[in-house]
Short mmCIF file of all heavy atoms in Angstrom, two decimals:
data_model
loop_
_atom_site.label_atom_id
_atom_site.label_comp_id
_atom_site.label_asym_id
_atom_site.label_seq_id
_atom_site.Cartn_x
_atom_site.Cartn_y
_atom_site.Cartn_z
N ARG A 2 2.00 1.24 0.66
CA ARG A 2 2.87 2.40 0.73
C ARG A 2 3.38 2.86 -0.64
O ARG A 2 3.25 4.03 -0.96
CB ARG A 2 4.08 2.11 1.62
CG ARG A 2 3.97 2.50 3.05
CD ARG A 2 3.59 3.92 3.19
NE ARG A 2 4.10 4.44 4.42
CZ ARG A 2 3.74 5.60 4.89
NH1 ARG A 2 2.90 6.34 4.24
NH2 ARG A 2 4.21 6.03 6.01
N GLN A 4 2.16 2.46 -3.56
CA GLN A 4 1.08 3.02 -4.36
C GLN A 4 0.75 4.44 -3.89
O GLN A 4 0.52 5.32 -4.72
CB GLN A 4 -0.15 2.13 -4.26
CG GLN A 4 -1.27 2.58 -5.21
CD GLN A 4 -2.42 1.62 -5.22
OE1 GLN A 4 -2.38 0.60 -4.54
NE2 GLN A 4 -3.43 1.92 -5.99
N ASP A 24 2.29 29.18 -17.05
CA ASP A 24 3.48 29.96 -17.35
C ASP A 24 3.61 30.25 -18.84
O ASP A 24 4.18 31.26 -19.22
CB ASP A 24 4.75 29.24 -16.86
CG ASP A 24 4.83 29.18 -15.34
OD1 ASP A 24 4.12 29.96 -14.68
OD2 ASP A 24 5.59 28.34 -14.84
N ARG A 31 3.43 44.52 -18.96
CA ARG A 31 3.02 45.93 -18.92
C ARG A 31 4.21 46.90 -18.86
O ARG A 31 4.09 48.04 -19.28
CB ARG A 31 2.07 46.16 -17.75
CG ARG A 31 0.76 45.42 -17.93
CD ARG A 31 -0.27 45.85 -16.92
NE ARG A 31 -1.49 45.08 -17.06
CZ ARG A 31 -2.47 45.37 -17.90
NH1 ARG A 31 -2.36 46.40 -18.70
NH2 ARG A 31 -3.54 44.62 -17.96
N GLU A 32 5.34 46.43 -18.37
CA GLU A 32 6.52 47.31 -18.31
C GLU A 32 7.11 47.55 -19.68
O GLU A 32 7.54 48.65 -19.99
CB GLU A 32 7.56 46.70 -17.38
CG GLU A 32 7.18 46.76 -15.92
CD GLU A 32 8.28 46.23 -15.02
OE1 GLU A 32 9.46 46.21 -15.44
OE2 GLU A 32 7.96 45.82 -13.89
N LEU A 41 2.25 31.86 -32.79
CA LEU A 41 2.20 32.54 -34.08
C LEU A 41 1.67 31.60 -35.16
O LEU A 41 2.09 30.46 -35.27
CB LEU A 41 3.59 33.03 -34.48
CG LEU A 41 4.17 34.14 -33.63
CD1 LEU A 41 5.58 34.48 -34.12
CD2 LEU A 41 3.29 35.36 -33.65
N TRP A 42 0.77 32.13 -35.96
CA TRP A 42 0.22 31.41 -37.10
C TRP A 42 0.73 32.11 -38.35
O TRP A 42 0.43 33.27 -38.59
CB TRP A 42 -1.30 31.45 -37.03
CG TRP A 42 -1.99 30.70 -38.11
CD1 TRP A 42 -1.62 29.53 -38.69
CD2 TRP A 42 -3.21 31.07 -38.76
NE1 TRP A 42 -2.52 29.14 -39.62
CE2 TRP A 42 -3.51 30.07 -39.69
CE3 TRP A 42 -4.07 32.15 -38.62
CZ2 TRP A 42 -4.64 30.12 -40.48
CZ3 TRP A 42 -5.18 32.19 -39.40
CH2 TRP A 42 -5.46 31.19 -40.32
N GLN A 45 0.01 32.67 -45.87
CA GLN A 45 0.33 33.47 -47.06
C GLN A 45 -0.75 34.48 -47.42
O GLN A 45 -0.81 34.94 -48.55
CB GLN A 45 0.61 32.54 -48.24
CG GLN A 45 -0.53 31.62 -48.56
CD GLN A 45 -0.05 30.37 -49.27
OE1 GLN A 45 1.08 29.94 -49.09
NE2 GLN A 45 -0.91 29.79 -50.08
N TRP A 46 -1.62 34.82 -46.50
CA TRP A 46 -2.61 35.87 -46.71
C TRP A 46 -2.71 36.70 -45.44
O TRP A 46 -2.27 36.31 -44.39
CB TRP A 46 -3.98 35.29 -47.11
CG TRP A 46 -4.63 34.50 -46.03
CD1 TRP A 46 -5.43 34.98 -45.03
CD2 TRP A 46 -4.53 33.10 -45.81
NE1 TRP A 46 -5.84 33.97 -44.20
CE2 TRP A 46 -5.30 32.79 -44.67
CE3 TRP A 46 -3.88 32.06 -46.46
CZ2 TRP A 46 -5.42 31.50 -44.17
CZ3 TRP A 46 -4.01 30.78 -45.96
CH2 TRP A 46 -4.77 30.51 -44.83
N VAL A 55 -13.85 31.46 -41.30
CA VAL A 55 -13.87 30.05 -40.96
C VAL A 55 -12.87 29.35 -41.86
O VAL A 55 -12.96 29.44 -43.09
CB VAL A 55 -15.28 29.44 -41.14
CG1 VAL A 55 -15.26 27.96 -40.85
CG2 VAL A 55 -16.28 30.15 -40.26
N ASN A 57 -10.16 25.81 -42.59
CA ASN A 57 -9.84 24.41 -42.36
C ASN A 57 -8.34 24.33 -42.09
O ASN A 57 -7.54 24.45 -43.01
CB ASN A 57 -10.22 23.57 -43.57
CG ASN A 57 -9.88 22.12 -43.39
OD1 ASN A 57 -9.60 21.66 -42.29
ND2 ASN A 57 -9.91 21.38 -44.48
N TYR A 63 -0.24 23.45 -36.70
CA TYR A 63 -1.24 24.47 -36.41
C TYR A 63 -2.51 23.86 -35.83
O TYR A 63 -3.18 24.49 -35.01
CB TYR A 63 -1.55 25.30 -37.66
CG TYR A 63 -0.34 26.12 -38.07
CD1 TYR A 63 0.18 26.03 -39.34
CD2 TYR A 63 0.29 26.96 -37.16
CE1 TYR A 63 1.29 26.76 -39.72
CE2 TYR A 63 1.40 27.69 -37.52
CZ TYR A 63 1.90 27.59 -38.80
OH TYR A 63 3.00 28.31 -39.16
N ASN A 65 -2.55 21.35 -33.77
CA ASN A 65 -2.17 21.20 -32.35
C ASN A 65 -2.18 22.56 -31.65
O ASN A 65 -2.67 22.68 -30.53
CB ASN A 65 -0.81 20.53 -32.24
CG ASN A 65 -0.42 20.32 -30.80
OD1 ASN A 65 -1.15 19.71 -30.05
ND2 ASN A 65 0.74 20.83 -30.42
N PRO A 74 -7.31 28.34 -21.06
CA PRO A 74 -8.13 29.40 -20.47
C PRO A 74 -8.30 30.58 -21.44
O PRO A 74 -7.46 30.81 -22.30
CB PRO A 74 -7.33 29.82 -19.23
CG PRO A 74 -5.92 29.47 -19.57
CD PRO A 74 -6.00 28.24 -20.45
#
Side-chain angles (χ1 to χ4, degrees):
R2 266 306 208 191
Q4 186 174 359
D24 291 343
R31 295 191 183 275
E32 289 184 22
L41 293 178
W42 183 37
Q45 58 205 27
W46 66 87
V55 177
N57 179 14
Y63 294 125
N65 182 55

